Amino acid sequence: MTTRLLLILFILFFPLYSCNKSKPTKSDMEIAFTQDTLAVGFTYWWPESGPFLGLCGDELTLVFSGTVTEILQPTDEAGPLYTSQKGFIKIDRVFKIKELGPNIYANQQYFVSDCFDGLDLRKGDQVLVCCYDYENDLSIPGGKSILKIDALDDPLITSIKIYIDADQNPKKIKMDMKLWEKYGLDDALRRILECEESK
């Protein structure tokens, strides 16, 4: 009797359990963070920044959300090239990691770069960060590559995850044009969308 009852309960509840478990996507990454800091170089000479670079969308290398933990005072450390201002971010969630060989992201929990000048960010701000690769190492073009968000479940996070999960197909986030317009990135999204639609 007990065995039959357990079998009936199993048959009734197994479909409910299996339906509730959503399949993880590419951007649902489980990271066991280490207490190390990832130092990323500033490609200050790049004319573009943000998640939609290039004519047809250059591949993102590292995308994550996090919280600004400290921003130092600007310095002239970089000489006449640009104003250097170091900032630190505690990484909360990682959405994309591109294989780069020995220079790949190695689960560091903290990020530092000197690209924070002019970003209007403060300690405690939550951000979405998009990095690229340059000469087989991580880089960040500053500007719109560090976007202040309202929360770590911001609609921008949902949109970038859809974009990543679709192998950076801009058609999948076409309806988010107004969302990206808030950050001045609608023209960049439109450009790569036009490229994709012309294929």
Side-chain angles (χ1 to χ4, degrees), residues 25 30 48 54 58 61 70 81 84-85 91 100 108 113 140 146 154 165 169 175 188 190 193 199:
T25 62
E30 291 291 327
E48 300 176 284
D58 294 349
T61 303
E70 187 175 4
L81 302 173
S84 173
Q85 185 171 21
I91 299 172
L100 287 179
Q108 296 97 329
S113 186
I140 187 162
I146 302 178
D154 193 278
D165 292 338
N169 184 341
M175 301 303 287
R190 196 171 288 110
L193 185 58
K199 290 179 183 176

Side-chain angles (χ1 to χ4, degrees), residues 1-13:
M1 177 72 177
T2 306
T3 307
R4 288 181 79 192
L5 182 60
L6 287 173
L7 182 60
I8 291 168
L9 289 172
F10 177 77
I11 291 168
L12 288 172
F13 288 104

Side-chain angles (χ1 to χ4, degrees), residues 77 102 138 141 160 164:
E77 195 175 287
L138 282 165
I160 199 71
I164 290 166

Side-chain angles (χ1 to χ4, degrees), residues 24-30 93-96 157-158 160-162 164-165:
T25 62
K26 289 179 190 178
S27 62
D28 291 325
M29 305 183 88
E30 291 291 327
R93 287 190 299 168
V94 177
F95 307 114
K96 167 89 188 259
I157 300 288
T158 304
I160 199 71
K161 285 183 67 179
I162 291 168
I164 290 166
D165 292 338

Side-chain angles (χ1 to χ4, degrees), residues 2 17 20 57 69 78 85 98 105 108 130 145 152 154 170 181:
T2 306
Y17 174 75
N20 286 337
T69 58
Q85 185 171 21
K98 177 182 170 185
Y105 168 71
Q108 296 97 329
C130 299
S145 291
L152 293 174
D154 193 278
E181 183 181 17

Side-chain angles (χ1 to χ4, degrees), residues 38-42 85-88 111-116 140 146:
L38 174 69
V40 175
F42 180 20
Q85 185 171 21
K86 273 190 182 172
F88 296 81
F111 165 95
V112 63
S113 186
D114 68 343
C115 67
F116 281 74
I140 187 162
I146 302 178

Side-chain angles (χ1 to χ4, degrees), residues 122-187:
R122 292 178 174 78
K123 183 176 178 179
D125 285 347
Q126 294 173 324
V127 291
L128 171 65
V129 181
C130 299
C131 299
Y132 293 88
D133 54 281
Y134 177 71
E135 296 184 345
N136 208 33
D137 206 349
L138 282 165
S139 72
I140 187 162
K144 296 174 183 173
S145 291
I146 302 178
L147 301 173
K148 184 178 174 182
I149 54 177
D150 294 329
L152 293 174
D153 60 352
D154 193 278
L156 211 62
I157 300 288
T158 304
S159 185
I160 199 71
K161 285 183 67 179
I162 291 168
Y163 182 60
I164 290 166
D165 292 338
D167 295 321
Q168 294 190 207
N169 184 341
K171 290 181 185 176
K172 298 294 183 180
I173 58 169
K174 186 177 185 177
M175 301 303 287
D176 295 340
M177 197 67 73
K178 284 280 185 199
L179 175 65
W180 291 100
E181 183 181 17
K182 175 182 170 186
Y183 296 89
L185 288 163
D186 52 317
D187 287 340

